């Protein structure tokens, strides 16, 4: 008999009733160290006092109105994002998937309005994840996501991740845009080398192709810069944001340059809930905290500390781990043992991690994890690895 919740998730049998910072607590009182952070969502940990304050304050005033009216919290968040990034304009969604939908629509509309309605093709990359909508699965193109869901949205092709020569060869008179994660998340914490992102930017400039960056997982301070592409010193034309921006409240955004967004006039896109006062009240506080250079400097310092300890862990368990990759607090432990065994052994030590493709275990802690919690996390991973060897 089918479960009353549609059985699309392979869940661990864990039930948490409370969260405090980097910790999740079961009803029994057992505490787990959370290095998954709801898959890079709880960027400031659980129940952050300032986020609770702005959320409850807004909840007592106004939850939802429609985008038929002004929403000052939304305006403030757009202003903050535009001031802090390459972008001239922002549209708010409730999720990363919806951001993907708009990014694709925006790119196609751009060319339509420029008098090149043939330019509809989007180049994506193997190992990508852009969400589970029709556009999202067509962009990622993996059989795991697309099988049984044909006909797929046409106009997407996948190339080897960041392959510049293949991209140059693939761009033709029908290409609208490239979509890429500067650091692949679900694909196994695979950072694109800075030089490759720069080369993609140059290719796009040469051919007019729009560069869409999916920073849903790697954005909002995760890599130690506000957005991951800043490391390479190049900017996208369109960027998808979600996950961390809401600190755990559903919120996403598409940021774009004035040029890339030029086709999106009144009536071309919309959302019932996107940019609602509750989500934007939280998003403003998240941005205020995370965009502070001192906060980002701490993310980088903690990344160094965690990496250094992980190198020791890997050296002590060569049969379990082979290395670590990633940037900031978006790290992937490359495993020799099956990654799910490592994740499960972690549960037994009361630490939460997240599996990814390419046999990787993701470490995506709250960005405000403490030094003591970093030490404790690595001690628990060490115990988990020891138990696996036994
Ligand atoms: C999670 C994720 C998405 C989809 O976001 P949802 O909020 O789950 O719709 C898209 N792109 C990337 C890179 C992601 O990590």
């Amino acid at each position: 008999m089918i479960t009353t919740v549609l059985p699309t998730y392979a869940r661990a049998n864990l039930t948490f009733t409370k969260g405090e910072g980097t910790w999740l607590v079961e009803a029994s009182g057992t505490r787990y160290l959370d290095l998954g952070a709801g898959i890079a969502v709880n960027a400031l940990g659980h129940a952050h006092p300032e986020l609770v304050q702005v959320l409850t304050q807004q909840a007592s005033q106004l939850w939802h109105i429609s985008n038929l009216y002004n929403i000052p919290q939304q305006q403030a968040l757009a202003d903050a994002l535009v001031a802090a990034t390459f972008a001239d304009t922002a549209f708010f969604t409730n999720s990363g998937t919806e951001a993907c939908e708009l990014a694709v629509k925006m790119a196609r509309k751009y060319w339509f309005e420029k008098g090149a309605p043939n330019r509809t093709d989007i180049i994506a990359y193997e190992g990508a994840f852009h969400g589970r909508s029709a556009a999202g699965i067509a962009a990622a193109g993996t059989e795991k996501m697309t099988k049984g869901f044909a006909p797929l949205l046409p106009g997407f092709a996948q190339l080897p991740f960041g392959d510049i020569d293949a991209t140059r060869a693939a761009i033709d008179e029908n290409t609208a845009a490239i979509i890429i994660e500067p650091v692949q998340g679900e694909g196994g914490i695979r950072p694109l080398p800075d030089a490759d992102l720069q080369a993609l930017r140059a290719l796009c400039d040469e051919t007019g192709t729009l560069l869409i960056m999916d920073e849903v997982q790697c954005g909002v301070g995760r890599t130690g810069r506000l957005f991951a592409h800043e490391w390479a010193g190049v900017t996208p034309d369109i960027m998808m944001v979600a996950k961390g921006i809401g600190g755990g409240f559903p919120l996403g955004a598409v940021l774009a340059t004035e040029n890339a967004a030029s086709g999106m006039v009144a009536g071309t896109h919309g959302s019932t809930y996107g940019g609602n006062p509750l989500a934007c009240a939280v998003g403003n506080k998240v941005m205020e905290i995370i965009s502070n250079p001192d906060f980002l400097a701490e993310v980088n310092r903690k990344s160094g500390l965690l990496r250094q300890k992980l190198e020791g862990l890997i050296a002590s368990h060569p049969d379990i781990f082979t290395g670590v990759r990633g940037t900031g607090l978006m790290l992937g432990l490359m495993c020799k043992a099956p990654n799910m065994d490592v994740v499960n052994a972690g549960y037994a030590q009361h630490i939460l991690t997240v599996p990814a493709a390419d046999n990787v275990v993701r470490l995506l802690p709250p960005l405000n994890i403490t030094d003591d919690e970093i030490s404790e996390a690595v001690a628990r991973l060490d115990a988990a690895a020891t138990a696996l060897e036994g």
Side-chain angles (χ1 to χ4, degrees), residues 127-151:
F129 183 78
H130 301 299
R132 301 290 197 150
S133 62
I137 63 174
T142 54
E143 191 178 304
K144 187 181 154 205
M145 277 188 275
T146 60
K147 196 177 175 193
F149 299 117

Side-chain angles (χ1 to χ4, degrees), residues 94-98 129-131 181 186 214 216-217 240 242-243:
N94 309 287
S95 67
T97 302
E98 291 164 85
F129 183 78
H130 301 299
E181 295 157 84
E186 306 299 311
D214 181 346
V216 169
Q217 195 162 147
M240 298 149 56
K243 294 200 165 96

Side-chain angles (χ1 to χ4, degrees), residues 3-238:
T3 47
T4 56
V5 173
L6 192 73
T8 59
Y9 296 109
R11 294 176 199 274
N13 188 20
L14 292 166
T15 309
F16 299 107
T17 52
K18 196 174 162 54
E20 298 165 354
T22 310
W23 298 87
L24 279 168
V25 192
E26 288 182 315
S28 62
T30 306
R31 294 164 64 82
Y32 286 68
L33 200 46
D34 183 9
L35 266 72
I39 317 189
V41 167
N42 300 98
L44 296 171
H46 300 280
H48 188 283
E50 289 179 77
L51 299 191
V52 172
Q53 204 270 329
V54 293
L55 180 65
T56 52
Q57 161 71 21
Q58 186 58 46
S60 69
Q61 300 298 315
L62 186 63
W63 290 22
H64 175 77
I65 52 169
S66 105
N67 282 302
L68 291 169
Y69 313 109
N70 292 327
I71 302 179
Q73 298 80 5
Q74 186 185 122
Q75 181 63 53
L77 185 53
D79 291 348
L81 285 165
V82 164
T85 67
F86 72 95
D88 302 311
T89 189
F91 180 93
F92 295 100
T93 67
N94 309 287
S95 67
T97 302
E98 291 164 85
C100 178
E101 290 294 314
L102 173 54
V104 168
K105 283 178 69 176
M106 186 182 281
R108 288 180 170 174
K109 190 70 158 56
Y110 172 86
W111 287 113
F112 180 86
E113 295 295 341
K114 294 271 175 205
N118 55 301
R119 290 190 76 160
T120 57
D121 290 354
I122 315 266
I123 295 171
Y125 293 93
E126 289 163 5
F129 183 78
H130 301 299
R132 301 290 197 150
S133 62
I137 63 174
T142 54
E143 191 178 304
K144 187 181 154 205
M145 277 188 275
T146 60
K147 196 177 175 193
F149 299 117
L152 296 181
L153 193 65
F156 291 86
Q158 291 78 30
L159 304 177
F161 183 49
D163 187 325
I164 305 304
D165 292 337
T167 306
R168 183 179 290 111
I171 292 176
D172 62 19
E173 68 283 2
N174 297 320
T175 306
I178 289 173
I179 182 168
I180 193 161
E181 295 157 84
V183 185
Q184 282 191 345
E186 306 299 311
I189 312 291
R190 294 163 73 199
L192 188 70
D194 289 349
D196 290 350
L197 202 58
Q198 290 156 2
L200 284 181
R201 178 71 266 175
L203 261 181
C204 286
D205 289 343
E206 237 170 80
T207 56
T209 306
L210 295 173
L211 182 54
I212 303 171
M213 292 190 198
D214 181 346
E215 293 230 17
V216 169
Q217 195 162 147
C218 62
V220 195
R222 181 55 50 191
T223 67
R225 300 291 289 266
L226 187 56
F227 290 101
H229 66 262
E230 294 171 25
W231 288 111
V234 294
T235 56
D237 300 292
I238 300 172

